[in-house]
């Protein structure tokens, strides 16, 4: 039975939403240089939550200058002190966990229980993991063949970094970039997606409260074509970390080439999830496939949007998927019964609807969903979870990233066939395989073109484990010790001792 009872928004969140539009630059909250603002909308209603400062190139200049001034002191601070400050930051995130989750739900639309129990916990875990890194960054000594030398390496910060984060997991992606950048001794300018700026602004407040010095973390809200582009081109920025679409990632890489910036890009995907006919529990596999695509309303870079099912179990799996999809509760994220919240914006809703129309026109079979939801949900951007069968591999819904609750289900006969079809696209972010055959599991993990492969599970992450894509799904790795290479310069020192 569906209930429309909503969680109570805390007074702290209400007060936050009533604050004047402002940017965090050099430890001070200030309006945008041009005085411009924009509304951030509640996607469940289409109405403004509050107004946010629209920073532009002038504000980016000021933020980068502040980060440059703060860099020497932050980089030379003792590792133990940086570690204490980052742990204090994580402690404050935990103390304000419900507040952060409410802001994320209101601004993004995702179910509150997911924001609270998953996203905020992940963000806190990432911050704690990287808080431990300042005292672990070491160089090495080398036994060189040339006599009379002592040779060693040093890990040094790269300088001012820019973090440009997406709207689908705005809190997690901010923490994922703030943590390693600051742990390595860099300073940072954070530009959140214009659709979901609120948790980034709240993180800025908590950073100051934690005692992180002025200018170390700056938050510039604004649009991608203004503030984001200015950061990508800025000569004072040494590294850009971006998560978002492949199209924008290519533009950032071109801009970064002007000054040979370091770039890490976590981009789009069209991830295959493959169910072999030896799956013992079809119900469990169908449930995993369901959430691989419909989690966060399909607005997930690793969404298992291409489901390949062996011919022997195809009909049984499709029937289970359709039955479960029809039972999912679509509604505002602040309602406890909600499984799927709205899409992020009217533009994203229209985009996904165009893909659904193209699927029907291309001859695919619409199994369930496909329609925008009306009634009490008419003001928001709600779409029924959608499943297509009998899809051609070259149809737009089969080979282009939709970023919505749209699943395409394909039939396959053997391992060679499905590997070729799974690898046929230019993306290579993630993949999943369900099989009880140990040898097949390892063969598939080796053969699939993806930065991460999940076996008999899907969509698991840990801050200690690297994540990133291949091909048009990105460059470099987030998370794990590997990300620290992206935020440090390796300097070699030769000392003549004889």
């Amino acid at each position: 039975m569906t209930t429309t009872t909503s969680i109570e928004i805390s007074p702290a969140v209400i007060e936050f939403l009533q604050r004047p539009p402002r940017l965090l630059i050099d430890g001070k909250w200030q309006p945008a240089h041009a005085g411009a603002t924009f509304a951030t909308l509640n996607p469940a209603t289409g109405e403004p939550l509050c107004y946010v400062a629209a920073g532009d190139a002038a504000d980016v200049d000021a933020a980068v200058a502040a980060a440059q001034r703060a860099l020497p002191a932050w980089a030379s601070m003792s590792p133990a002190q940086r570690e204490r400050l980052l742990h204090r930051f994580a402690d404050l995130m935990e103390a304000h966990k419900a507040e952060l989750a409410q802001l994320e739900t209101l601004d993004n639309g995702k179910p509150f229980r997911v924001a609270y129990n998953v996203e905020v916990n992940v963000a806190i875990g990432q911050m704690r993991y990287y808080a431990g890194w300042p005292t672990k960054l070491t160089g090495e000594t080398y036994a060189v063949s040339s006599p009379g030398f002592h040779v060693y390496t040093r890990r040094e910060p790269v300088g001012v970094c820019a973090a440009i984060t997406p709207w689908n997991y705005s809190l997690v992606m901010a923490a994922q970039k703030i943590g390693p950048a600051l742990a390595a001794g860099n300073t940072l300018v954070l530009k959140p997606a214009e659709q979901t700026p609120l948790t980034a602004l709240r993180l800025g407040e908590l950073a100051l409260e934690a005692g992180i010095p002025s200018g170390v973390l700056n938050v510039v809200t604004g649009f991608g074509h203004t503030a984001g582009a200015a950061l990508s081109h800025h000569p004072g920025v040494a590294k850009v970390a971006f998560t978002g679409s492949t199209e924008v990632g290519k533009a950032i890489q071109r801009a970064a080439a002007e000054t040979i910036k370091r770039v890490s890009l976590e981009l789009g995907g069209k991830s295959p999830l493959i169910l072999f006919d030896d799956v013992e529990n079809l119900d469990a596999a169908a449930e995993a496939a369901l959430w691989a695509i419909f989690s966060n309303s399909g607005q997930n870079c690793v969404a298992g949007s291409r489901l390949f099912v062996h011919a022997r179990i195809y009909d049984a799996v499709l029937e289970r998927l359709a039955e479960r999809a029809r039972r999912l509760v679509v509604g505002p994220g602040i309602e406890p019964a909600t499984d799927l919240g709205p899409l992020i914006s009217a533009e994203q809703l229209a985009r996904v609807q165009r893909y659904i129309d193209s699927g029907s026109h291309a001859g695919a079979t619409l199994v369930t969903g496909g329609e925008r939801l009306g009634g009490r949900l008419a003001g928001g951007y709600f779409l029924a979870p959608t499943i297509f069968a009998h899809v051609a591999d070259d149809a737009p819904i089969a080979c282009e990233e939709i970023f919505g609750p749209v699943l395409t289900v394909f039939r396959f006969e053997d391992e060679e066939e499905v590997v070729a079809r799974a690898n046929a696209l230019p993306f290579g972010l993630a993949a999943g395989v369900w099989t009880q055959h140990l040898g097949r599991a390892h063969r598939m993990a080796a053969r699939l073109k993806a930065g991460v492969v999940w076996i008999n599970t899907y969509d698991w992450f840990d801050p200690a484990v690297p994540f990133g894509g291949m091909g048009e799904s990105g460059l470099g790795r987030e998370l794990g010790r590997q990300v620290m290479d992206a935020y440090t310069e390796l300097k070699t020192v030769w000392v003549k001792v004889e």
Side-chain angles (χ1 to χ4, degrees), residues 432-448:
V433 177
W434 279 69
T435 180
Q436 302 307 308
H437 191 293
L438 182 62
R440 174 187 286 148
H442 288 294
R443 283 198 307 274
M444 294 296 292
R447 299 181 69 188
L448 289 171

Side-chain angles (χ1 to χ4, degrees), residues 5-9 102 105-106 109-112 331-336 338:
T5 302
S6 300
I7 65 167
E8 184 178 352
I9 304 302
Q102 287 184 10
T105 291
L106 291 172
K110 66 185 59 181
F112 173 76
I334 60 172
E335 294 179 2
T338 293

Side-chain angles (χ1 to χ4, degrees), residues 130 137 155-164 173-188 238-242 262-264 477-490:
Y130 286 106
L137 290 171
R155 289 269 178 196
E156 298 181 353
V158 299
V160 176
C161 299
I164 303 175
M173 295 302 171
Q176 190 169 294
K177 292 169 172 52
I178 293 170
L182 270 55
N186 303 288
T187 54
L188 185 71
K239 171 179 166 43
V240 178
F242 171 75
R262 290 189 178 203
V263 177
S264 56
R477 292 294 180 267
E478 301 268 11
L479 303 176
R481 63 176 177 78
Q482 289 80 2
V483 76
M484 302 309 294
D485 292 337
Y487 287 99
T488 54
E489 294 281 9
L490 191 64

Side-chain angles (χ1 to χ4, degrees), residues 75-129:
S76 62
M77 182 182 287
S78 75
Q81 179 62 8
R82 279 207 308 276
E83 190 170 291
R84 283 193 292 271
L85 289 173
L86 290 174
H87 274 299
R88 193 178 303 162
F89 189 9
D91 289 341
L92 287 170
M93 291 172 64
E94 190 148 26
H96 295 274
K97 178 179 173 182
E99 181 185 335
L100 288 167
Q102 287 184 10
L103 287 172
E104 193 75 345
T105 291
L106 291 172
D107 214 12
N108 170 276
K110 66 185 59 181
F112 173 76
R113 70 175 183 274
V114 175
Y116 184 84
N117 294 319
V118 180
E119 183 156 1
V120 181
N121 283 340
V122 170
I124 293 168
Q126 290 175 341
M127 196 61 69
R128 290 205 186 285
Y129 176 80

Side-chain angles (χ1 to χ4, degrees), residues 129-474:
Y129 176 80
Y130 286 106
W133 266 99
T135 55
K136 315 301 186 296
L137 290 171
T138 61
E140 297 178 301
T141 58
Y142 291 85
V144 296
S145 297
S146 303
F149 287 98
H150 173 58
V151 181
Y152 63 95
T153 55
R154 290 171 45 89
R155 289 269 178 196
E156 298 181 353
V158 299
V160 176
C161 299
I164 303 175
T165 55
W167 45 258
N168 59 334
Y169 292 99
S170 50
L171 181 65
V172 165
M173 295 302 171
Q176 190 169 294
K177 292 169 172 52
I178 293 170
L182 270 55
N186 303 288
T187 54
L188 185 71
V189 180
L190 171 63
K191 208 297 283 184
E194 56 264 31
Q195 296 89 346
T196 54
L198 298 184
T199 49
L201 292 168
R202 189 67 181 108
L203 286 177
E205 293 180 346
L206 295 179
L208 292 181
E209 188 178 342
I212 292 176
S214 297
V216 171
L217 174 60
N218 306 273
V219 182
V220 177
T221 53
F223 297 97
H225 65 276
T226 53
L231 273 172
S232 301
H233 287 274
H234 203 290
V237 171
K239 171 179 166 43
V240 178
F242 171 75
T243 299
S245 72
T246 296
E247 179 184 4
V248 175
K250 290 177 180 179
I252 288 173
Q253 189 172 22
R254 288 191 293 268
E258 297 171 1
T259 52
I260 318 297
K261 289 178 177 57
R262 290 189 178 203
V263 177
S264 56
L265 304 170
E266 197 243 287
L267 306 177
K270 192 71 175 174
S271 300
L273 175 55
I274 303 166
L275 306 186
F276 282 95
D277 60 342
D278 62 347
V279 171
E280 291 182 348
N281 190 332
L282 287 185
D283 289 324
E287 191 72 13
L290 186 86
W291 288 110
I293 178 60
F294 295 135
S295 176
N296 205 35
S297 299
Q299 300 169 130
N300 188 354
C301 58
V302 298
S305 54
R306 291 190 295 153
L307 179 62
F308 292 89
V309 184
H310 193 278
R312 291 193 187 94
I313 60 172
Y314 180 90
D315 291 336
V317 169
L318 187 60
E319 180 181 355
R320 285 167 168 78
L321 285 169
E323 188 269 332
R324 284 166 168 77
R326 295 184 187 112
R327 290 205 314 259
L328 293 173
V329 177
V330 181
I334 60 172
E335 294 179 2
T338 293
D339 295 312
L340 271 68
L343 298 183
I344 190 64
S345 66
E347 293 78 11
Q348 184 66 12
L349 175 63
R351 180 177 186 271
V352 177
Q353 286 180 304
R354 286 194 297 271
Y355 273 108
I356 291 172
D357 291 342
S358 77
S360 298
H361 293 152
T365 300
L366 179 62
V367 177
T368 189
E371 73 276 5
R372 180 178 182 176
L373 301 182
R376 71 182 187 93
L377 304 179
Y381 314 126
F382 295 95
L383 187 69
T386 301
I387 299 175
F388 279 101
H390 307 121
V391 185
D393 283 15
D394 60 352
I397 60 168
C399 55
E400 297 177 16
E401 185 176 40
I402 299 174
F403 225 61
V406 181
L407 175 65
T408 51
V409 187
F410 306 89
R411 187 190 305 262
F412 77 93
E413 298 286 348
D414 60 52
E415 187 175 319
E416 290 298 320
E417 170 203 345
V418 77
V419 167
R421 293 170 69 189
N423 287 343
L425 302 185
F427 300 109
L429 189 57
V433 177
W434 279 69
T435 180
Q436 302 307 308
H437 191 293
L438 182 62
R440 174 187 286 148
H442 288 294
R443 283 198 307 274
M444 294 296 292
R447 299 181 69 188
L448 289 171
K449 185 184 68 176
V452 59
V453 179
W454 289 290
I455 306 293
N456 295 332
T457 186
Y458 203 84
D459 203 8
W460 281 97
F461 293 86
D462 189 280
V465 178
F467 171 74
M470 301 177 179
E472 293 194 6
S473 288

